[in-house]
Amino acid sequence: MSKYVKVDLSEYFNNCGISYVNDIQSGDLTGIGSSYPAEQLPDSNSNIEVDNVPFLFPKKEVGEKNNIEFNNQVISLPKGNYRNLFVLGAAENGSYIETLIIRNKNISQKIRLGLTDWLNETCEFNETIAYHCYGCHSTKAGIISTFEPKMWLQRIDLPENLLVEELSLPDNPGMHIFAITLEKEGEHA
């Protein structure tokens, strides 16, 4: 039995942050028309591994929403006890740390998520680089080869013995999540 649970986020996606070179206009991670190059990221709906953690990578087809831009969403999680929450994500127009709420019907706990700006050279919150692209797409300038966007892997330790059912996000449109995986409590590599 796997110690990891990949969370299907497709119903929560509200932003298209990935575009193909032949349709750059369809992506807008930043609100000013910039996006990750789809050709340099994993296949749509693929099972991937980053630092030995499995994830479900989102769709990349033209016009498909493929990430959660934080807007006070409440994400349903598979009910269980987990030791870690892993995020594939990035911030834009700055690096941010925000408080999220993880809870069940009776108890809620605050956790902190830090995500570094997608164009930073190095991380600010102890993330690791999940994907490093060479150039980004811009609806105004085409392909900008001087920018090297990154998608970060972040790990959050969860409170022990907390039965988890939901994750609440704050309102910060500068933060984006592409995938989430949970690691079961009491299971080690």
Side-chain angles (χ1 to χ4, degrees):
M1 175 157 59
S2 174
K3 68 177 184 168
Y4 294 107
V5 177
K6 295 176 281 190
V7 180
D8 181 358
L9 298 176
S10 56
E11 71 178 275
Y12 303 101
F13 290 153
N14 61 351
N15 178 272
C16 180
I18 301 171
S19 65
Y20 285 92
V21 69
N22 61 354
D23 196 356
I24 289 173
Q25 301 299 319
S26 68
D28 187 7
L29 180 78
T30 61
I32 56 171
S34 301
S35 58
Y36 288 96
E39 296 84 357
Q40 297 181 40
L41 295 172
D43 293 336
S44 287
N45 286 330
S46 60
N47 290 300
I48 60 168
E49 258 189 35
V50 179
D51 285 353
N52 298 314
V53 178
F55 290 94
L56 176 61
F57 200 80
K59 292 180 180 179
K60 301 187 307 180
E61 283 74 32
V62 173
E64 287 283 346
K65 307 268 192 252
N66 46 43
N67 71 87
I68 300 171
E69 181 179 271
F70 288 20
N71 186 20
N72 295 311
Q73 297 92 334
V74 177
I75 299 167
S76 293
L77 300 174
K79 189 175 181 179
N81 293 89
Y82 302 102
R83 61 187 309 216
N84 291 300
L85 181 138
F86 294 92
V87 170
L88 283 184
E92 43 90 6
N93 293 316
S95 299
Y96 305 101
I97 189 163
E98 289 282 0
T99 300
L100 285 59
I101 307 294
I102 194 152
R103 68 172 153 254
N104 60 41
K105 292 178 194 170
N106 302 313
I107 300 170
S108 62
Q109 293 279 329
K110 293 179 180 179
I111 57 175
R112 304 277 285 169
L113 172 64
L115 289 173
T116 299
D117 190 284
W118 72 316
L119 299 178
N120 274 26
E121 286 299 312
T122 58
C123 68
E124 293 191 26
F125 306 110
N126 295 318
E127 306 102 315
T128 57
I129 296 173
Y131 296 100
H132 183 157
C133 300
Y134 298 94
C136 76
H137 292 168
S138 166
T139 57
K140 295 179 175 104
I143 300 168
I144 304 174
S145 59
T146 54
F147 291 148
E148 295 187 3
K150 289 146 198 85
M151 193 175 292
W152 305 98
L153 169 64
Q154 182 61 279
R155 187 189 92 197
I156 302 171
D157 295 329
L158 297 177
E160 286 187 34
N161 301 315
L162 175 65
L163 183 65
V164 171
E165 294 180 292
E166 291 181 341
L167 177 67
S168 293
L169 305 178
D171 183 16
N172 183 341
M175 293 181 80
H176 301 266
I177 293 177
F178 290 83
I180 290 177
T181 293
L182 296 158
E183 182 181 14
K184 294 177 185 173
E185 197 171 86
E187 309 243 355
H188 300 281

